[in-house]
Amino acid sequence: MSPVRNIYLDHSATTPTDPRVVEVMLPYFTQHFGNPVSVHHFGQKAESAIESARERIAHVLNCLPSEIIFTSGASESNNLALRGTLRPGDHRPVLTTHVEHPAVSRTAAELGDVGWLLVNEWGRASLVDIRVRTAARLVSLMYANNEVGSIHDLAGFSEAAHEIGAYLHSDAVQAGGQLSLDVQALGVDMLSLSAHKFYGPKGVGLLYVREGVELHAVQTGGSHERGLRAGTHNTPLIVGMALALELATTESESRIAHLTARRDELISGVLSRIPDVRLTGHPIERLPSHASFVIDGAESNTLLMHLDMQGVAASSGSACKTGNPEPSDVLLAMGYTAAEALTGLRLTVGLSTTQDDIDYAVDVLAHAVEKVRKVRQGVMTI
Ligand SMILES: Cc1ncc(COP(=O)(O)O)c(C=O)c1O
């Protein structure tokens, strides 16, 4: 086997910040550091950078600048969307699924009145399941799944949600930088994004809120962001997010072609080299960067250690709590058994991933699976 390399195949977890984005942010830490709400020229400089970022982001999302609320990331955006639309005494539930990120599913569960929509073997909800419900305040459905990469056709769900008098919110975190974010075409009423998933900085995101949606603040304080999100703006990060989103849009064609090619090499390499492996998520309607599998007889947390030792960074859906991994909720909801769900492995390619990286990673994975299976069968010890 080739010598140890350094191959990052975990771009769904986070992406490196584009150096062009870092460069554009720097002056806002040191030179243009004023508080955007201050009346003096230091404040005005920061405020104009924020408003310009808002306009440029609105252009990409095809919405009004006033419909963008800057947040600290998608966990906050999702919380604001769910908690901010629920009215005291309103018993119309939130409809969502068990394949959502915990920032949606746990928030919904905490709110109490939740209708859980079923998902199919690809982790996708059905329109019929929404139409049979009589009323809901909000339907929250992710655009693309972080563990299995399946994409929801949001336009159809928007119609179904509106038919039962609900708003449609979408956690579009994984779609950012890979799928169209035109909120008019998608028909969403709210949409969450996080910059660190599309080569922007960590700790900044946004919630798009269509004009007319009744939303109340969750975090109270100053009157920032039309009174919907109190707290001093993080000017450098907002400026960085705007550029990262613009770059993702202008370079979209070449980026998607690159990601899709690497993803397909990875999927076909894994499926042809390793016996008893299944692709999880939709075979076609999936994120360009995303490959995910269940691998019979090879628990993913053990595999991850083997991969890491050989320089390959990947991830699993199962949370490892005190050395005792719990099966992925997403795979369980899709109908996999607990034993299968413990073998869920995610490999996500990025803009710097090469064909050689894929060949190496497939090779390392094939050897790791063989080893883990042998250890499990008692044929070999580590
Ligand atoms: C689908 C999805 N939603 C929400 C989040 C949370 O985003 P943030 O890190 O910005 O809070 C993530 C992060 O992994 C995600 O994948």
Side-chain angles (χ1 to χ4, degrees):
M1 203 182 289
S2 1
V4 171
R5 303 252 299 266
N6 215 358
I7 296 175
Y8 184 76
L9 292 178
D10 201 13
H11 291 85
S12 276
T14 196
T15 55
T17 312
D18 188 316
R20 294 169 290 182
V21 170
V22 174
E23 201 185 321
V24 82
M25 291 194 304
L26 289 177
Y28 292 93
F29 286 106
T30 51
Q31 268 172 279
H32 315 307
F33 58 84
N35 189 321
V37 300
S38 299
V39 290
H40 48 64
H41 65 280
F42 285 90
Q44 284 167 23
K45 180 81 190 167
E47 190 198 12
S48 85
I50 285 175
E51 293 318 313
S52 151
R54 199 188 303 279
E55 276 169 29
R56 285 152 51 214
I57 290 172
H59 185 68
V60 174
L61 268 56
N62 190 19
C63 68
L64 299 169
S66 58
E67 293 176 315
I68 305 279
I69 298 173
F70 291 124
T71 66
S72 64
S75 297
E76 185 189 335
S77 302
N78 289 343
N79 268 270
L80 178 56
L82 269 71
R83 296 179 194 277
T85 41
L86 219 81
R87 287 277 172 283
D90 184 347
H91 293 300
R92 287 182 296 164
V94 174
L95 299 181
T96 190
T97 73
H98 286 293
V99 302
E100 294 291 321
H101 187 273
V104 167
S105 57
R106 279 196 202 147
T107 307
E110 208 184 292
L111 292 172
D113 227 357
V114 193
W116 295 104
L117 300 166
L118 294 177
V119 295
N120 64 13
E121 71 272 32
W122 297 315
R124 301 208 292 192
S126 93
L127 289 174
V128 179
D129 200 6
I130 294 179
R131 291 204 169 105
V132 294
R133 316 272 170 158
T134 44
R137 177 94 198 155
L138 179 72
V139 176
S140 184
L141 210 53
M142 69 204 316
Y143 193 175
N145 186 272
N146 48 313
E147 278 187 45
V148 298
S150 298
I151 297 168
H152 273 126
D153 165 17
L154 291 178
F157 286 101
S158 154
E159 258 178 51
H162 293 159
E163 274 169 29
I164 58 162
Y167 295 132
L168 178 66
H169 162 252
S170 185
D171 174 343
V173 167
Q174 294 293 335
Q178 297 195 46
L179 306 177
S180 164
L181 296 175
D182 180 334
V183 293
Q184 310 308 333
L186 296 172
V188 291
D189 300 296
M190 287 180 281
L191 179 131
S192 305
L193 284 176
S194 185
H196 72 102
K197 307 287 184 172
F198 48 86
Y199 300 86
K202 293 169 185 56
V204 65
L206 64 87
L207 180 68
Y208 155 76
V209 184
R210 187 181 292 284
E211 204 170 68
V213 168
E214 287 174 44
L215 189 76
H216 63 261
V218 169
Q219 176 164 298
T220 46
S223 56
H224 312 84
E225 298 298 286
R226 298 187 287 120
L228 288 168
R229 198 276 184 174
T232 303
H233 292 95
N234 196 329
T235 315
L237 301 197
I238 291 170
V239 167
M241 173 163 65
L243 180 62
L245 196 59
E246 280 181 331
L247 291 171
T249 309
T250 52
E251 297 173 2
S252 152
E253 212 173 305
S254 59
R255 288 189 184 196
I256 302 307
H258 171 84
L259 295 175
T260 310
R262 295 293 90 82
R263 176 201 68 185
D264 290 348
E265 286 157 13
L266 180 53
I267 292 176
S268 61
V270 169
L271 295 180
S272 62
R273 280 280 306 273
I274 309 173
D276 302 318
V277 176
R278 280 165 290 166
L279 182 74
T280 54
H282 198 282
I284 297 156
E285 286 156 32
R286 63 184 302 129
L287 286 168
S289 64
H290 200 289
S292 53
F293 309 92
V294 284
I295 307 179
D296 282 5
E299 272 194 12
S300 46
N301 283 312
T302 316
L303 273 183
L304 287 181
M305 285 189 308
H306 284 274
L307 292 177
D308 195 38
M309 280 191 290
Q310 297 300 323
V312 177
S315 67
S316 77
S318 47
C320 197
K321 288 174 189 150
T322 57
N324 189 16
E326 305 222 332
S328 148
D329 287 339
V330 173
L331 294 176
L332 290 178
M334 289 163 62
Y336 288 92
T337 64
E340 289 169 333
L342 283 170
T343 72
L345 186 74
R346 177 181 79 178
L347 301 145
T348 43
V349 302
L351 300 179
S352 62
T353 309
T354 63
Q355 198 170 353
D356 193 44
D357 290 341
I358 300 295
D359 292 344
Y360 177 81
V362 171
D363 207 33
V364 165
L365 181 62
H367 282 93
V369 170
E370 202 179 357
K371 210 173 192 177
V372 171
R373 282 176 177 163
K374 279 189 180 158
V375 170
R376 198 162 175 264
Q377 289 156 5
V379 181
M380 190 180 154
T381 48
I382 296 180

